[in-house]
Coordinates of all heavy atoms in Angstrom, one line a residue:
M1 N 10.4 73.0 35.2 CA 9.6 72.3 36.1 C 8.2 72.7 35.9 O 7.8 73.7 35.5 CB 10.0 72.7 37.6 CG 9.7 74.2 38.0 SD 10.4 74.6 39.6 CE 9.2 73.8 40.6
P2 N 7.3 71.7 36.2 CA 5.8 71.9 35.9 C 5.2 72.8 37.0 O 5.5 72.5 38.2 CB 5.2 70.5 35.9 CG 6.2 69.6 36.5 CD 7.5 70.3 36.6
I3 N 4.4 73.7 36.6 CA 3.8 74.6 37.6 C 2.4 74.9 37.1 O 2.1 74.9 35.9 CB 4.6 75.9 37.7 CG1 5.5 75.8 38.9 CG2 3.7 77.2 37.8 CD1 6.3 77.0 39.2
W4 N 1.4 75.1 38.0 CA 0.0 75.4 37.6 C -0.1 76.9 37.5 O 0.3 77.6 38.4 CB -0.9 74.9 38.6 CG -1.2 73.4 38.5 CD1 -0.5 72.4 39.3 CD2 -2.0 72.7 37.7 NE1 -1.0 71.2 39.0 CE2 -1.9 71.3 37.9 CE3 -3.0 73.1 36.7 CZ2 -2.6 70.3 37.3 CZ3 -3.6 72.1 36.0 CH2 -3.5 70.8 36.3
I5 N -0.7 77.3 36.4 CA -1.0 78.8 36.3 C -2.5 78.9 36.2 O -3.2 78.0 35.8 CB -0.3 79.4 35.0 CG1 -0.8 78.7 33.8 CG2 1.2 79.3 35.1 CD1 -0.4 79.5 32.5
K6 N -2.9 80.1 36.6 CA -4.3 80.5 36.4 C -4.4 81.7 35.4 O -3.6 82.6 35.5 CB -4.9 81.0 37.7 CG -5.4 79.8 38.6 CD -6.0 80.3 39.9 CE -6.5 79.2 40.8 NZ -6.7 79.7 42.1
V7 N -5.3 81.6 34.5 CA -5.4 82.6 33.5 C -6.7 83.4 33.7 O -7.8 82.8 33.8 CB -5.4 82.0 32.0 CG1 -5.6 83.1 31.0 CG2 -4.2 81.2 31.8
F8 N -6.7 84.6 33.9 CA -7.8 85.5 34.1 C -8.2 86.4 32.9 O -7.3 86.7 32.2 CB -7.6 86.4 35.4 CG -7.4 85.7 36.6 CD1 -6.2 85.2 37.0 CD2 -8.5 85.4 37.5 CE1 -6.0 84.5 38.3 CE2 -8.3 84.7 38.6 CZ -7.1 84.3 39.0
G9 N -9.4 86.7 32.8 CA -9.8 87.7 31.8 C -10.4 86.9 30.6 O -10.6 87.5 29.5
L10 N -10.7 85.6 30.7 CA -11.2 84.8 29.6 C -12.8 85.0 29.5 O -13.4 85.3 30.4 CB -11.0 83.4 29.8 CG -9.5 83.0 29.8 CD1 -9.2 81.7 30.5 CD2 -9.1 82.8 28.3
R11 N -13.3 84.8 28.3 CA -14.7 84.7 28.1 C -15.1 83.3 27.8 O -14.3 82.5 27.4 CB -15.0 85.6 26.9 CG -14.8 87.0 27.2 CD -15.3 88.0 26.1 NE -14.8 89.3 26.4 CZ -14.6 90.2 25.5 NH1 -14.9 90.0 24.2 NH2 -14.1 91.4 25.8
P12 N -16.3 82.9 28.2 CA -16.7 81.5 28.1 C -16.4 80.9 26.7 O -16.0 79.7 26.7 CB -18.2 81.5 28.4 CG -18.4 82.7 29.2 CD -17.4 83.8 28.8
H13 N -16.6 81.6 25.7 CA -16.4 81.0 24.3 C -14.9 80.8 24.0 O -14.6 80.3 22.9 CB -17.1 81.8 23.3 CG -16.7 83.2 23.1 ND1 -17.2 84.2 23.9 CD2 -15.9 83.8 22.2 CE1 -16.6 85.3 23.5 NE2 -15.8 85.1 22.5
W14 N -14.0 81.3 24.9 CA -12.6 81.1 24.6 C -12.1 79.8 25.3 O -10.9 79.5 25.3 CB -11.7 82.3 25.1 CG -12.0 83.5 24.2 CD1 -12.5 83.5 23.0 CD2 -11.8 84.9 24.6 NE1 -12.5 84.8 22.5 CE2 -12.1 85.6 23.5 CE3 -11.3 85.5 25.8 CZ2 -12.0 87.0 23.5 CZ3 -11.2 86.9 25.8 CH2 -11.6 87.6 24.7
F15 N -13.0 79.2 26.1 CA -12.6 78.0 26.9 C -12.5 76.8 26.0 O -13.3 75.9 26.1 CB -13.6 77.8 28.0 CG -13.1 78.5 29.3 CD1 -13.3 79.8 29.4 CD2 -12.5 77.8 30.3 CE1 -12.9 80.5 30.6 CE2 -12.1 78.4 31.4 CZ -12.3 79.8 31.6
H16 N -11.5 76.7 25.1 CA -11.2 75.4 24.5 C -9.7 75.2 24.5 O -8.9 76.2 24.6 CB -11.9 75.4 23.1 CG -11.6 76.5 22.3 ND1 -10.4 76.7 21.5 CD2 -12.3 77.6 22.0 CE1 -10.5 77.8 20.8 NE2 -11.6 78.4 21.1
R17 N -9.4 74.0 24.4 CA -8.0 73.6 24.7 C -7.0 74.3 23.8 O -5.9 74.8 24.2 CB -7.9 72.1 24.4 CG -6.5 71.5 24.7 CD -6.5 70.0 24.5 NE -7.4 69.3 25.4 CZ -7.0 68.8 26.6 NH1 -5.8 68.8 26.9 NH2 -7.9 68.2 27.4
R18 N -7.3 74.5 22.5 CA -6.3 75.0 21.6 C -6.0 76.5 22.0 O -4.9 76.9 22.0 CB -6.9 75.0 20.2 CG -5.8 75.4 19.1 CD -6.3 75.5 17.7 NE -6.7 74.2 17.2 CZ -7.3 74.1 16.0 NH1 -7.5 75.2 15.3 NH2 -7.6 72.9 15.6
F19 N -7.1 77.2 22.3 CA -6.9 78.6 22.7 C -6.1 78.8 24.0 O -5.2 79.5 24.2 CB -8.2 79.4 22.8 CG -8.1 80.8 23.1 CD1 -7.7 81.7 22.1 CD2 -8.3 81.3 24.4 CE1 -7.5 83.0 22.4 CE2 -8.2 82.7 24.6 CZ -7.8 83.5 23.7
L20 N -6.5 77.9 25.0 CA -5.8 78.0 26.3 C -4.3 77.5 26.2 O -3.5 78.1 26.9 CB -6.6 77.1 27.3 CG -8.0 77.5 27.6 CD1 -8.7 76.5 28.5 CD2 -8.0 78.9 28.3
Y21 N -4.1 76.5 25.4 CA -2.7 76.1 25.1 C -1.9 77.2 24.4 O -0.7 77.4 24.7 CB -2.7 74.8 24.4 CG -2.7 73.6 25.2 CD1 -3.4 73.6 26.5 CD2 -2.2 72.4 24.8 CE1 -3.5 72.5 27.3 CE2 -2.2 71.2 25.6 CZ -2.9 71.3 26.8 OH -2.9 70.2 27.6
H22 N -2.6 78.0 23.6 CA -1.9 79.1 22.9 C -1.4 80.1 24.0 O -0.3 80.6 23.9 CB -2.8 79.7 21.9 CG -2.2 80.9 21.2 ND1 -1.1 80.9 20.6 CD2 -2.7 82.2 21.2 CE1 -0.8 82.1 20.1 NE2 -1.8 82.9 20.5
I23 N -2.3 80.4 24.9 CA -1.9 81.4 26.0 C -0.8 80.7 26.8 O 0.2 81.4 27.1 CB -3.1 81.6 26.9 CG1 -4.2 82.4 26.1 CG2 -2.7 82.5 28.1 CD1 -5.5 82.6 26.9
A24 N -1.0 79.5 27.2 CA 0.1 78.8 28.0 C 1.4 78.8 27.3 O 2.4 78.8 28.0 CB -0.4 77.4 28.4
S25 N 1.4 78.6 26.0 CA 2.7 78.5 25.3 C 3.5 79.8 25.3 O 4.7 79.8 25.0 CB 2.4 78.1 23.8 OG 1.8 79.1 23.1
L26 N 2.8 80.9 25.7 CA 3.6 82.1 25.9 C 4.3 82.2 27.2 O 5.2 83.0 27.5 CB 2.7 83.4 25.8 CG 2.0 83.5 24.4 CD1 1.0 84.7 24.5 CD2 3.0 83.7 23.3
I27 N 3.9 81.3 28.1 CA 4.5 81.1 29.4 C 5.6 80.0 29.4 O 6.6 80.2 30.1 CB 3.4 80.8 30.5 CG1 2.3 81.8 30.4 CG2 4.1 80.7 31.9 CD1 2.6 83.2 31.0
G28 N 5.3 78.9 28.8 CA 6.1 77.8 28.8 C 5.5 76.7 27.9 O 4.8 77.0 26.9
K29 N 5.8 75.5 28.3 CA 5.3 74.4 27.5 C 4.0 73.8 28.2 O 4.0 73.3 29.2 CB 6.3 73.3 27.4 CG 6.0 72.1 26.5 CD 7.2 71.2 26.3 CE 6.8 69.9 25.7 NZ 6.6 68.8 26.8
P30 N 2.8 74.0 27.5 CA 1.6 73.5 28.1 C 1.6 72.0 28.3 O 2.0 71.2 27.4 CB 0.5 73.9 27.1 CG 1.1 74.7 26.1 CD 2.6 74.5 26.1
L31 N 1.2 71.5 29.5 CA 1.2 70.1 29.8 C -0.2 69.5 29.8 O -0.5 68.5 29.2 CB 2.0 69.8 31.1 CG 3.4 70.2 31.0 CD1 4.1 69.9 32.4 CD2 4.2 69.4 30.0
K32 N -1.0 70.1 30.6 CA -2.4 69.7 30.8 C -3.3 70.7 31.4 O -2.9 71.7 31.9 CB -2.5 68.4 31.6 CG -2.0 68.6 33.0 CD -2.1 67.3 33.8 CE -1.4 67.5 35.2 NZ -1.3 66.2 36.0
L33 N -4.6 70.5 31.1 CA -5.6 71.4 31.7 C -6.2 70.8 33.0 O -6.3 69.6 33.1 CB -6.8 71.6 30.7 CG -6.5 72.4 29.4 CD1 -7.8 72.4 28.5 CD2 -6.0 73.8 29.7
D34 N -6.6 71.7 33.8 CA -7.3 71.3 35.1 C -8.6 70.7 34.6 O -9.2 71.1 33.7 CB -7.5 72.5 35.9 CG -8.2 72.3 37.2 OD1 -7.8 71.2 37.8 OD2 -9.0 73.1 37.6
E35 N -9.1 69.7 35.5 CA -10.3 69.0 35.1 C -11.5 70.0 35.1 O -12.3 70.0 34.2 CB -10.6 67.9 36.1 CG -10.8 66.6 35.4 CD -10.9 65.4 36.5 OE1 -11.9 65.3 37.1 OE2 -9.9 64.7 36.6
A36 N -11.5 70.9 36.1 CA -12.6 71.9 36.2 C -12.6 72.8 35.0 O -13.6 73.2 34.5 CB -12.5 72.7 37.4
T37 N -11.4 73.0 34.4 CA -11.3 73.9 33.3 C -11.8 73.1 32.0 O -12.5 73.7 31.2 CB -9.8 74.3 33.1 OG1 -9.3 75.0 34.2 CG2 -9.6 75.2 31.8
T38 N -11.4 71.8 32.0 CA -11.9 71.0 30.8 C -13.4 71.0 30.8 O -14.0 71.0 29.7 CB -11.3 69.6 30.9 OG1 -10.0 69.7 31.3 CG2 -11.4 68.9 29.6
E39 N -14.0 70.8 32.0 CA -15.5 70.7 32.0 C -16.2 72.0 32.1 O -17.4 72.1 32.3 CB -15.9 69.8 33.2 CG -15.4 68.4 33.0 CD -15.4 67.6 34.3 OE1 -15.9 68.1 35.3 OE2 -14.9 66.5 34.3
I40 N -15.5 73.1 32.1 CA -16.0 74.5 32.2 C -16.9 74.6 33.3 O -18.1 75.1 33.2 CB -16.7 74.9 30.8 CG1 -15.8 74.4 29.6 CG2 -16.9 76.4 30.8 CD1 -16.4 74.9 28.3
D41 N -16.4 74.2 34.5 CA -17.2 74.5 35.7 C -17.2 76.0 36.1 O -18.1 76.5 36.7 CB -16.6 73.7 36.9 CG -17.0 72.2 36.8 OD1 -17.9 71.9 36.0 OD2 -16.4 71.4 37.5
N42 N -16.1 76.6 35.8 CA -15.9 77.9 36.3 C -15.3 78.7 35.1 O -14.0 78.9 35.0 CB -14.9 77.9 37.4 CG -14.6 79.3 38.0 OD1 -15.3 80.3 37.5 ND2 -13.7 79.4 38.9
P43 N -16.1 79.2 34.2 CA -15.6 79.8 32.9 C -15.1 81.2 33.2 O -15.3 82.1 32.4 CB -16.8 79.8 32.0 CG -18.0 79.7 32.9 CD -17.6 79.2 34.2
V44 N -14.4 81.5 34.3 CA -13.8 82.8 34.5 C -12.3 82.6 34.6 O -11.5 83.4 34.0 CB -14.3 83.4 35.8 CG1 -13.7 84.8 36.1 CG2 -15.9 83.5 35.8
V45 N -11.9 81.5 35.2 CA -10.5 81.3 35.4 C -10.1 79.9 34.8 O -10.9 78.9 34.9 CB -10.2 81.2 36.9 CG1 -8.7 80.9 37.1 CG2 -10.6 82.4 37.6
A46 N -9.1 79.9 34.0 CA -8.6 78.6 33.5 C -7.3 78.2 34.3 O -6.5 79.0 34.5 CB -8.3 78.7 32.0
R47 N -7.2 76.9 34.6 CA -6.0 76.4 35.3 C -5.3 75.5 34.3 O -5.9 74.5 33.8 CB -6.4 75.7 36.5 CG -5.9 76.2 37.8 CD -6.4 75.4 39.0 NE -5.3 75.0 39.8 CZ -5.0 73.8 40.1 NH1 -5.8 72.8 39.7 NH2 -4.0 73.5 40.8
I48 N -4.0 75.8 34.1 CA -3.2 75.0 33.1 C -1.9 74.7 33.8 O -1.3 75.5 34.4 CB -3.0 75.8 31.8 CG1 -4.3 76.5 31.3 CG2 -2.3 75.0 30.8 CD1 -4.1 77.5 30.3
C49 N -1.5 73.5 33.5 CA -0.2 73.0 34.0 C 0.8 73.3 32.9 O 0.6 72.9 31.8 CB -0.2 71.5 34.4 SG 1.3 71.0 35.2
V50 N 1.9 74.0 33.3 CA 2.9 74.4 32.3 C 4.3 74.1 32.7 O 4.6 74.3 33.9 CB 2.8 76.0 32.0 CG1 3.7 76.4 31.0 CG2 1.4 76.4 31.7
E51 N 5.1 73.6 31.8 CA 6.5 73.4 32.1 C 7.2 74.7 31.9 O 7.2 75.3 30.8 CB 7.0 72.4 31.1 CG 8.5 72.1 31.2 CD 8.9 71.2 32.4 OE1 8.1 70.2 32.7 OE2 9.9 71.5 33.0
I52 N 7.8 75.3 32.9 CA 8.4 76.6 32.8 C 9.9 76.6 33.2 O 10.4 75.7 33.9 CB 7.7 77.7 33.6 CG1 7.8 77.3 35.1 CG2 6.4 78.0 33.2 CD1 7.5 78.5 36.0
N53 N 10.6 77.5 32.7 CA 12.0 77.7 33.1 C 12.0 78.7 34.2 O 11.8 79.9 34.0 CB 12.8 78.3 31.8 CG 14.2 78.5 32.2 OD1 14.7 78.3 33.4 ND2 15.0 78.9 31.2
V54 N 12.4 78.2 35.4 CA 12.3 79.0 36.6 C 13.3 80.1 36.6 O 13.3 81.0 37.4 CB 12.3 78.2 37.9 CG1 11.1 77.5 38.2 CG2 13.5 77.3 37.9
L55 N 14.3 80.0 35.7 CA 15.3 81.1 35.7 C 14.8 82.3 34.9 O 15.4 83.3 35.0 CB 16.6 80.5 35.1 CG 17.4 79.5 36.0 CD1 18.6 79.0 35.2 CD2 17.8 80.2 37.2
E56 N 13.8 82.1 34.1 CA 13.3 83.3 33.4 C 12.3 84.1 34.3 O 11.7 83.6 35.2 CB 12.6 82.8 32.1 CG 13.6 82.5 31.0 CD 12.9 81.8 29.8 OE1 11.7 82.0 29.7 OE2 13.6 81.2 29.0
K57 N 12.2 85.3 33.9 CA 11.3 86.2 34.6 C 9.8 85.7 34.4 O 9.5 85.3 33.3 CB 11.4 87.6 34.0 CG 11.0 88.7 35.0 CD 11.3 90.1 34.4 CE 10.9 91.2 35.3 NZ 9.5 91.3 35.4
F58 N 9.0 85.8 35.4 CA 7.6 85.3 35.3 C 6.8 86.5 34.7 O 6.8 87.6 35.2 CB 7.1 85.0 36.7 CG 7.7 83.8 37.3 CD1 8.5 83.9 38.4 CD2 7.5 82.5 36.7 CE1 9.1 82.8 39.0 CE2 8.1 81.4 37.2 CZ 8.9 81.5 38.4
Q59 N 6.1 86.1 33.6 CA 5.2 87.1 33.0 C 3.9 87.1 33.8 O 3.3 86.1 34.1 CB 4.9 86.7 31.6 CG 6.0 86.9 30.6 CD 5.6 86.4 29.3 OE1 5.8 85.3 28.9 NE2 4.9 87.3 28.5
L60 N 3.5 88.3 34.2 CA 2.2 88.4 34.9 C 1.0 88.8 34.0 O -0.1 88.8 34.5 CB 2.4 89.5 36.0 CG 3.5 89.2 37.1 CD1 3.6 90.3 38.0 CD2 3.2 87.9 37.7
E61 N 1.3 89.0 32.8 CA 0.3 89.4 31.8 C 0.7 89.0 30.4 O 1.9 89.2 30.1 CB 0.1 90.9 31.8 CG -1.4 91.3 31.6 CD -1.5 92.9 31.9 OE1 -0.6 93.6 31.4 OE2 -2.5 93.2 32.5
V62 N -0.1 88.3 29.6 CA 0.3 88.0 28.3 C -0.7 88.7 27.3 O -1.9 88.6 27.5 CB 0.3 86.5 28.0 CG1 1.5 85.9 28.8 CG2 -1.0 85.8 28.4
P63 N -0.2 89.3 26.2 CA -1.1 89.8 25.2 C -1.4 88.8 24.1 O -0.5 88.1 23.7 CB -0.2 91.0 24.6 CG 1.2 90.5 24.9 CD 1.2 89.5 26.0
I64 N -2.7 88.8 23.7 CA -3.1 87.9 22.7 C -3.9 88.7 21.7 O -4.8 89.4 22.1 CB -4.0 86.7 23.2 CG1 -3.3 85.9 24.3 CG2 -4.4 85.8 22.1 CD1 -2.4 84.8 23.9
Q65 N -3.7 88.5 20.4 CA -4.5 89.1 19.4 C -5.7 88.3 19.1 O -5.6 87.1 18.7 CB -3.6 89.2 18.1 CG -2.5 90.3 18.1 CD -3.1 91.7 17.8 OE1 -4.1 91.8 17.3 NE2 -2.2 92.7 18.2
I66 N -6.9 88.9 19.2 CA -8.1 88.3 18.9 C -8.9 89.2 18.0 O -9.3 90.3 18.4 CB -8.9 87.9 20.2 CG1 -8.1 87.0 21.1 CG2 -10.3 87.2 19.8 CD1 -8.6 86.9 22.5
D67 N -9.2 88.8 16.8 CA -10.0 89.6 15.9 C -9.4 91.0 15.7 O -10.2 92.0 15.8 CB -11.5 89.6 16.3 CG -12.1 88.3 16.4 OD1 -11.7 87.4 15.6 OD2 -13.0 88.0 17.2
G68 N -8.2 91.1 15.6 CA -7.5 92.4 15.4 C -7.4 93.2 16.6 O -6.9 94.4 16.5
R69 N -7.8 92.7 17.8 CA -7.6 93.5 19.0 C -6.7 92.8 20.0 O -6.8 91.5 20.0 CB -9.0 93.7 19.7 CG -9.9 94.7 18.9 CD -11.2 94.9 19.7 NE -11.0 95.3 21.0 CZ -11.9 95.2 22.0 NH1 -13.0 94.6 21.7 NH2 -11.7 95.7 23.2
T70 N -5.9 93.5 20.8 CA -5.1 92.9 21.7 C -5.8 92.8 23.1 O -6.3 93.8 23.6 CB -3.8 93.7 21.9 OG1 -3.2 93.8 20.6 CG2 -2.8 93.0 22.8
H71 N -5.9 91.5 23.6 CA -6.5 91.3 24.9 C -5.3 90.9 25.8 O -4.4 90.2 25.4 CB -7.5 90.1 24.8 CG -8.7 90.5 24.1 ND1 -9.9 90.8 24.7 CD2 -8.9 90.6 22.7 CE1 -10.8 91.1 23.7 NE2 -10.2 90.9 22.6
Y72 N -5.4 91.4 27.0 CA -4.4 91.0 28.0 C -5.0 90.1 29.0 O -6.0 90.4 29.6 CB -3.8 92.3 28.7 CG -3.0 93.2 27.8 CD1 -3.6 94.2 27.0 CD2 -1.7 92.9 27.6 CE1 -2.9 94.9 26.1 CE2 -0.9 93.7 26.8 CZ -1.5 94.7 26.0 OH -0.8 95.4 25.1
F73 N -4.3 89.0 29.3 CA -4.7 88.0 30.2 C -3.8 88.0 31.4 O -2.5 87.9 31.2 CB -4.8 86.6 29.6 CG -5.8 86.5 28.5 CD1 -5.4 86.7 27.1 CD2 -7.1 86.4 28.7 CE1 -6.3 86.7 26.1 CE2 -8.1 86.3 27.7 CZ -7.7 86.5 26.4
K74 N -4.3 88.1 32.6 CA -3.5 88.1 33.8 C -3.2 86.6 34.1 O -4.0 85.7 34.0 CB -4.3 88.7 35.0 CG -4.4 90.2 34.9 CD -4.5 90.8 36.3 CE -4.6 92.3 36.2 NZ -3.7 93.0 35.3
I75 N -2.0 86.4 34.6 CA -1.5 85.1 34.9 C -1.1 85.1 36.4 O -0.4 86.0 36.9 CB -0.2 84.7 34.1 CG1 -0.5 84.9 32.6 CG2 0.2 83.3 34.4 CD1 -1.5 84.0 31.9
Q76 N -1.6 84.0 37.1 CA -1.2 83.8 38.4 C -0.5 82.5 38.5 O -0.9 81.5 37.9 CB -2.5 83.8 39.3 CG -2.3 84.2 40.7 CD -3.7 84.2 41.4 OE1 -4.2 83.1 41.7 NE2 -4.3 85.4 41.7
Y77 N 0.6 82.4 39.2 CA 1.4 81.2 39.4 C 1.1 80.6 40.7 O 1.1 81.3 41.7 CB 2.9 81.5 39.2 CG 3.3 82.1 37.9 CD1 3.1 83.4 37.6 CD2 3.8 81.3 36.9 CE1 3.4 84.0 36.4 CE2 4.1 81.8 35.7 CZ 3.9 83.1 35.4 OH 4.3 83.6 34.2
E78 N 1.0 79.3 40.7 CA 0.7 78.6 42.0 C 2.0 77.9 42.5 O 2.6 77.1 41.7 CB -0.4 77.5 41.8 CG -1.7 78.1 41.6 CD -2.8 77.0 41.4 OE1 -2.5 75.8 41.7 OE2 -3.9 77.4 40.9
G79 N 2.3 78.1 43.7 CA 3.3 77.3 44.4 C 4.7 77.3 43.8 O 5.3 76.3 43.6
I80 N 5.1 78.5 43.4 CA 6.5 78.7 42.9 C 7.4 78.5 44.1 O 7.3 79.3 45.1 CB 6.7 80.0 42.2 CG1 5.8 80.2 41.1 CG2 8.2 80.1 41.8 CD1 5.9 81.6 40.5
P81 N 8.3 77.6 44.1 CA 9.3 77.5 45.2 C 10.3 78.6 45.1 O 10.5 79.1 44.0 CB 9.9 76.1 45.0 CG 9.8 75.8 43.6 CD 8.5 76.6 43.1
N82 N 10.8 79.0 46.2 CA 11.9 80.0 46.1 C 13.0 79.4 45.2 O 13.4 78.3 45.4 CB 12.5 80.3 47.5 CG 11.6 81.2 48.3 OD1 10.9 82.0 47.8 ND2 11.6 81.0 49.6
Y83 N 13.5 80.2 44.4 CA 14.6 79.7 43.5 C 15.7 80.8 43.4 O 15.4 82.0 43.1 CB 14.1 79.5 42.1 CG 15.1 78.7 41.3 CD1 15.0 77.3 41.2 CD2 16.0 79.4 40.5 CE1 15.9 76.6 40.5 CE2 17.0 78.6 39.8 CZ 16.9 77.3 39.8 OH 17.8 76.5 39.0
C84 N 16.9 80.4 43.8 CA 18.0 81.4 43.9 C 18.7 81.4 42.5 O 19.3 80.3 42.1 CB 18.9 81.0 45.0 SG 20.3 82.1 45.2
K85 N 18.8 82.6 41.9 CA 19.5 82.7 40.6 C 21.0 82.8 40.8 O 21.7 82.7 39.8 CB 18.9 83.9 39.8 CG 17.5 83.7 39.4 CD 17.1 84.9 38.6 CE 15.6 84.8 38.2 NZ 15.1 85.9 37.5
I86 N 21.4 83.0 42.0 CA 22.9 83.2 42.3 C 23.6 81.8 42.3 O 24.5 81.4 41.6 CB 23.2 84.0 43.5 CG1 22.6 85.4 43.4 CG2 24.7 84.0 43.8 CD1 22.6 86.2 44.7
C87 N 23.1 81.0 43.3 CA 23.7 79.6 43.4 C 22.8 78.5 42.8 O 23.3 77.4 42.7 CB 23.9 79.3 44.9 SG 22.4 79.1 45.8
R88 N 21.7 78.9 42.2 CA 20.8 77.9 41.5 C 20.3 76.8 42.3 O 20.2 75.7 41.9 CB 21.6 77.4 40.2 CG 21.9 78.5 39.3 CD 22.3 78.0 37.9 NE 22.4 79.1 37.0 CZ 22.3 79.0 35.7 NH1 22.2 77.9 35.1 NH2 22.4 80.1 34.9
H89 N 20.0 77.1 43.6 CA 19.4 76.2 44.5 C 18.0 76.7 44.8 O 17.7 77.9 44.8 CB 20.2 76.0 45.7 CG 21.5 75.1 45.5 ND1 22.7 75.6 45.3 CD2 21.6 73.8 45.5 CE1 23.5 74.6 45.1 NE2 22.9 73.5 45.2
R90 N 17.2 75.7 45.2 CA 15.8 76.1 45.7 C 15.9 76.2 47.2 O 16.8 75.7 47.9 CB 14.8 75.0 45.3 CG 14.5 75.0 43.8 CD 13.3 74.3 43.5 NE 13.3 74.0 42.1 CZ 13.3 72.8 41.5 NH1 13.2 71.8 42.2 NH2 13.3 72.8 40.2
G91 N 14.8 76.8 47.8 CA 14.7 76.8 49.2 C 15.0 78.2 49.8 O 14.7 78.5 50.9
H92 N 15.7 79.1 49.0 CA 15.9 80.4 49.5 C 15.9 81.4 48.2 O 16.1 80.9 47.1 CB 17.2 80.6 50.3 CG 18.4 80.3 49.5 ND1 19.0 79.0 49.4 CD2 19.2 81.1 48.7 CE1 20.0 79.1 48.6 NE2 20.2 80.3 48.2
D93 N 15.7 82.6 48.5 CA 15.8 83.5 47.3 C 17.1 84.3 47.3 O 18.0 84.1 48.2 CB 14.6 84.5 47.3 CG 14.5 85.3 48.6 OD1 15.6 85.5 49.3 OD2 13.4 85.8 48.9
M94 N 17.3 85.1 46.4 CA 18.6 85.8 46.2 C 19.0 86.7 47.4 O 20.2 86.8 47.7 CB 18.6 86.6 44.9 CG 18.7 85.7 43.7 SD 18.9 86.6 42.2 CE 17.1 87.1 41.9
A95 N 18.0 87.3 48.0 CA 18.2 88.2 49.1 C 18.8 87.5 50.3 O 19.6 88.1 51.1 CB 16.9 88.9 49.5
S96 N 18.5 86.2 50.5 CA 19.1 85.5 51.6 C 20.1 84.4 51.2 O 20.3 83.4 51.9 CB 17.9 84.8 52.4 OG 17.0 84.1 51.5
C97 N 20.7 84.7 50.1 CA 21.8 83.8 49.6 C 23.1 84.0 50.3 O 23.5 85.2 50.4 CB 22.0 83.8 48.1 SG 23.1 82.7 47.5
F98 N 23.8 83.0 50.8 CA 25.1 83.1 51.4 C 26.2 82.5 50.6 O 27.3 82.5 51.0 CB 25.1 82.4 52.8 CG 24.1 83.1 53.8 CD1 22.9 82.5 54.1 CD2 24.5 84.3 54.3 CE1 22.1 83.1 55.0 CE2 23.6 85.0 55.2 CZ 22.4 84.3 55.6
A99 N 25.9 82.2 49.3 CA 26.9 81.6 48.5 C 27.9 82.6 48.0 O 27.5 83.8 47.9 CB 26.2 80.9 47.3
Ligands
ZN101 ZN1 21.6 80.9 46.8

């Protein structure tokens, strides 16, 4: 399912589609960039829409090699619905599953 993620820890010169899609591809399948991100209104946070597998664990940080150094980018997920891995239904989490 498509979900918006925010990427923190970027520098202004990293704000181009190819680099942002590279980060997003470690989370899932990149779909599109937020308009404000495309126009670099706010070169601190990038917003990217990503197709993710909700059954997988959400990564809160992704490591990227840049010029021989590893940079860690914090990832924030927007609007993840509760998803129950037991009965595979949305709307409640595993702790409140009665299946
Ligand atoms: Zn359930």
